[in-house]
């Protein structure tokens, strides 16, 4: 007899286990059995809940995006100024949870898989649009739309690049990654202020 209310708990355990397994392997070359074993459930139950490994993988990307979105919303609510909003987003991108070796490796594997999996590509484009929009909401009042666009694109590219370096084991520590992106933004904002004086 199935336990009432266990499905959401087991689904979350399976998506977490998929992220862990992919992160540990550094690729999508994991099996449903391996993921189920990490989650402490049977492979049959994993198939029952998700139907296929591809569905479990896409739901795992959704889970990562949902966690990141929740963290970003909380950070943005606490920000007291436009500039603080930008800093909050950068801090969330490099939080201990988001910038852990396992999660970073999983993100990199998802980006590789997106080249052949339209659903993963779509989800990653949602992430990119959301990051851009959130950065623009803080930067546009400070720099104007055109300059904010350039700064936001550069910041997003730096975040992605620092994730790649972290996955390869050559990236900076979390606080150094934050400082690099903050420096990029502040340099551009200072340049804009200098032109308007």
């Amino acid at each position: 007899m199935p336990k009432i209310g266990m499905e959401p708990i087991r689904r979350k355990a399976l998506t977490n286990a998929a992220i862990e397994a992919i992160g540990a392997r550094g690729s999508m070359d994991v099996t449903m059995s391996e993921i189920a074993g990490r989650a402490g459930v049977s492979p049959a139950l994993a198939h029952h809940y998700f139907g296929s490994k591809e569905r479990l993988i896409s739901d795992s990307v959704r889970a990562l995006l949902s966690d990141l979105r929740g963290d970003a919303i909380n950070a943005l609510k606490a920000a007291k100024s436009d500039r603080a909003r930008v800093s909050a987003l950068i801090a969330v991108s490099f939080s201990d949870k988001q910038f852990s070796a396992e999660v970073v490796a999983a993100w990199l594997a998802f980006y590789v898989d997106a080249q052949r999996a339209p659903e993963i590509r779509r989800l990653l484009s949602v992430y990119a649009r959301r990051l851009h929009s959130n950065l623009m909401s803080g930067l546009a009042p400070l720099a104007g739309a055109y300059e904010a666009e350039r700064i936001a694109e550069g910041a997003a590219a730096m975040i992605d690049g620092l994730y790649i370096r972290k996955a390869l084991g050559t990236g900076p520590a979390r606080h150094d990654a934050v400082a690099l992106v903050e420096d990029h933004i502040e340099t551009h904002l200072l340049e804009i202020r200098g032109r308007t004086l």
Side-chain angles (χ1 to χ4, degrees):
M1 190 76 147
K3 294 181 183 173
I4 306 281
M6 286 303 292
E7 183 174 347
I9 294 167
R10 287 185 175 141
R11 281 180 168 274
K12 181 67 175 160
L14 283 160
T15 57
N16 287 345
I19 292 163
E20 290 171 14
I22 291 164
R25 181 80 47 93
S27 77
M28 297 295 185
D29 190 24
V30 294
T31 65
M32 284 290 263
S33 294
E34 183 181 346
I35 294 167
R38 282 179 178 264
V41 301
S42 72
L45 192 61
H47 279 284
H48 170 73
Y49 286 145
F50 294 97
S52 68
K53 184 177 97 169
E54 290 72 24
R55 174 72 188 274
L56 174 53
I57 298 300
S58 63
D59 279 10
S60 298
V61 175
R62 280 189 192 85
L64 275 177
L65 290 172
S66 178
D67 284 349
L68 183 59
R69 183 172 186 261
D71 291 348
I73 287 169
N74 291 334
L76 290 170
K77 282 181 187 173
K80 305 288 189 224
S81 68
D82 293 319
R83 183 64 179 88
R85 288 175 63 82
V86 176
S87 291
L89 288 168
I90 295 165
V92 165
S93 294
F94 296 107
S95 68
D96 288 335
K97 178 169 72 171
Q98 298 297 334
F99 205 52
S100 69
E102 182 177 90
V103 170
V104 168
W107 274 115
L108 189 59
F110 293 145
Y111 269 97
V112 169
D113 198 49
Q115 295 174 73
R116 64 158 197 83
E119 178 61 9
I120 302 296
R121 184 169 42 253
R122 186 189 71 76
L123 290 169
L124 292 175
S125 71
V126 167
Y127 153 74
R129 286 193 309 271
R130 190 178 292 154
L131 176 61
H132 184 265
S133 174
N134 285 333
L135 287 168
M136 286 295 290
S137 74
L139 288 167
L142 300 171
Y146 174 76
E147 293 291 348
E149 186 80 33
R150 292 179 59 241
I151 298 168
E153 281 299 314
M158 286 184 76
I159 291 168
D160 289 347
L162 290 163
Y163 266 66
I164 291 169
R165 287 186 176 188
K166 170 86 170 180
L168 297 174
T170 61
R174 186 188 78 75
H175 63 278
D176 292 330
V178 169
L180 283 168
V181 181
E182 287 283 1
D183 285 349
H184 161 77
I185 289 166
E186 197 55 35
T187 298
H188 285 282
L189 291 176
L190 284 170
E191 180 186 318
I192 292 163
R193 284 184 212 122
R195 286 198 308 248
T196 59
L197 289 178

